[in-house]
Amino acid sequence: MSTTTTSHSPESEGPPEAGGREAGGRGARIIRNEATTEIPVHLLFRDEPEPLSVALAPAVVNRRRGTGEQPRIARRAPAPLRPRRAPEVDPDLVERPARVLPGTAGVLAGALGATGCVLASWWAGVLPPLAVDALGLPVHAGAGLGGPQWATLAGCGALALFGFGGLARGRTGRAWVLGLFGRYRGTVRRTGLMWVNPLVLRRRIDVRLRHWRSEAIPAVDANGVALRVVVLVVWRVRDTARAALGVEDHQLYLRECVEAALARVLARLPADLSPNAPGAADSATLRNTEAVSDALTRLVAAEAAAVGLQVYSAQPLGVEYAPEIAAVMQRRRIAALDAQHRDTVLTSVVDSVEDTVTRLTARGLVELDDYERKALVKDLTVAFYTGHGDR
C-alpha cells in the first residue's frame, strides 16, 4: 500500500489548539509573529451585518391628528397622606382622679398636732414660762420627759407634719400628677386649697391651651428644593398620665413629631410651578396653605395622641426658600421680568411702526417700494425703541 504525503503551508503550521479548527473540520489559519499573539485570520475578515430593510419613522406620542399639537400632560394630585400606626403605650397608663381631701382637713389635723405638742410640753414641764403666760396656762412643775411624754410629743408632731405638709394649692389650668414609690396614683385637677398625701411625688403639668411657634425648620419639596418653614402648633395636654409618664419630655416629642410630619407633607408637593408648565393651573403646590395645614394637622395629631396630647392645628406661617436657593430664584425672577418688559416694549414698538407705515401709505402721503419700505421700518423701529428706552 502506498501512502500519500500532503504538504502543509507555513501559515498552517503550529501546535494544535482547542479552538484551532473550524466547524467544517478544516484547520484555522493563524497569523503569528514575535510581537503579537496568535490571531485567527477568519476573525480579521468578519462579514458586516446586513442593514435593516425596514425604514424607521419618527415616533409621535399622542399627537393630535391634523394639528401637530402635543398633548398637555396634567400633573396628578398626590394621594392623601395616611397617618402611620401610632406607637404603643402602656394601656393601663390612663389618667384617673387621685384621692385628696379638702384643705380644711389638713389645717385641722395640723392644728390638733401642734396643740398636742404644746400640751405635752406643758405636761412635761419643759414649756418656757413666757409661752405659759402667753397661752394662759396654769403653772405646772411637771414630771419631766419620760416615756409617755415622748410618745405624746412624737404622735402630735407627726400629726402636725402630715397636716401642714400635705397642704397644696390647685390652680386653674394646672394639674398634679401623683406617684408613690414609682407607681402612678392619679391626677389632681381640683383648684383651691386641698390636702394631698405628703409622701407622694408631685409633678405639675400645664393643661391650658398652648401654642408653639417653631424656628425655621429645614425641609425639601417634591423637586428637592431646599426650604425653610415656620410652623404654628395649637395644642394642649389631654391625658396627664401619658404626657408625664409615657414619654420623657412631651414638649420635645411634639416638636419632633412636627418636624417629621412636615418632612412628609412638603416632600409630596412642589414649592411653586412655572406658569407655562403643563397642567400648572390644576396642580397643587405648597402655596395652598389650607391643604398643607390640614394634612400636617392630621399627621401631627395622630402621632401626638399616643402620649396624651391633643393637637388642634398645625399650620405653616411661612414657606421660604433657603438662602442659597432664594438668591438663585431672585436672579431668575429678575431675568424673567426683564425679558417680559423687553417683549412688551418690542411689541409696542412693532405695533407703532406698523400703524405709522400703514397710515402713511393709506393716505397717499408717500409712495414706497420694497427697499424704501424696509429702510423706513428700520429707522422708525430704532427711533421708537430709543424713545421707549429713555422713559
Side-chain angles (χ1 to χ4, degrees), residues 355-368 376 380:
D355 183 63
T356 302
V357 174
T358 303
R359 288 186 177 185
L360 290 175
T361 56
R363 295 181 181 181
L365 299 178
V366 293
E367 295 182 0
L368 303 174
L376 179 60
L380 291 176

Side-chain angles (χ1 to χ4, degrees), residues 42-372:
H42 69 279
L43 294 180
L44 299 178
F45 303 95
R46 298 179 62 182
D47 297 334
E48 296 295 334
E50 296 181 359
L52 295 175
S53 58
V54 180
L56 298 179
V60 178
V61 180
N62 294 335
R63 174 176 292 178
R64 298 181 181 178
R65 294 184 177 180
T67 61
E69 180 183 357
Q70 292 291 342
R72 298 181 64 183
I73 303 176
R75 185 188 295 268
R76 294 184 178 180
L81 283 174
R82 296 181 179 179
R84 297 178 179 177
R85 183 179 179 182
E88 296 182 359
V89 184
D90 187 3
D92 298 333
L93 190 60
V94 181
E95 179 182 336
R96 59 178 182 272
R99 297 179 181 178
V100 295
L101 297 177
T104 308
V107 173
L108 291 177
L112 289 176
T115 303
C117 290
V118 172
L119 293 177
S121 300
W122 174 79
W123 178 32
V126 295
L127 192 66
L130 294 177
V132 174
D133 296 339
L135 295 175
L137 297 175
V139 178
H140 179 67
L145 293 175
Q149 289 79 10
W150 280 113
T152 304
L153 285 174
C156 293
L159 181 61
L161 290 177
F162 265 78
F164 291 123
L167 292 177
R169 182 180 61 175
R171 297 181 179 180
T172 303
R174 304 292 178 89
W176 295 95
V177 178
L178 308 182
L180 181 61
F181 304 116
R183 184 179 179 183
Y184 174 62
R185 303 299 298 178
T187 301
V188 180
R189 288 181 177 263
R190 296 177 56 179
T191 59
L193 187 64
M194 55 188 169
W195 184 85
V196 184
N197 186 357
L199 297 180
V200 299
L201 178 64
R202 309 174 191 177
R203 182 179 297 181
R204 178 172 292 181
I205 298 294
D206 192 345
V207 295
R208 295 175 296 180
L209 186 66
R210 306 169 65 183
H211 72 278
W212 170 63
R213 181 188 178 101
S214 70
E215 300 293 336
I217 301 176
V220 295
D221 66 347
N223 298 327
V225 179
L227 303 173
R228 294 292 185 272
V229 186
V230 178
V231 184
L232 178 65
V233 183
V234 181
W235 63 284
R236 73 177 181 92
V237 176
R238 183 177 182 180
D239 193 319
T240 57
R242 293 190 175 186
L245 305 176
V247 68
E248 184 176 359
D249 188 350
H250 62 275
Q251 297 185 19
L252 180 60
Y253 179 81
L254 177 62
R255 296 178 184 179
E256 294 178 351
C257 288
V258 170
E259 293 182 5
L262 189 64
R264 291 183 59 190
V265 173
L266 265 63
R268 301 173 64 254
L269 298 174
D272 201 355
L273 287 179
S274 175
N276 299 327
D282 302 331
S283 300
T285 64
L286 296 180
R287 304 301 178 185
N288 188 358
T289 56
E290 184 176 357
V292 174
S293 177
D294 292 342
L296 187 60
T297 302
R298 185 168 57 254
L299 292 180
V300 176
E303 293 287 341
V307 295
L309 303 181
Q310 185 176 6
V311 178
Y312 293 96
S313 67
Q315 51 186 349
L317 297 181
V319 180
E320 300 178 353
Y321 292 105
E324 60 276 6
I325 303 298
V328 177
M329 296 298 295
Q330 184 178 8
R331 291 195 296 268
R332 291 181 57 185
R333 289 179 179 177
I334 293 176
L337 291 176
D338 184 63
Q340 184 178 3
H341 174 70
R342 290 176 180 273
D343 182 70
T344 304
V345 171
L346 183 59
T347 302
S348 177
V349 168
V350 171
D351 293 342
S352 301
V353 171
E354 181 182 4
D355 183 63
T356 302
V357 174
T358 303
R359 288 186 177 185
L360 290 175
T361 56
R363 295 181 181 181
L365 299 178
V366 293
E367 295 182 0
L368 303 174
D369 55 6
D370 293 340
Y371 178 78
E372 293 175 346

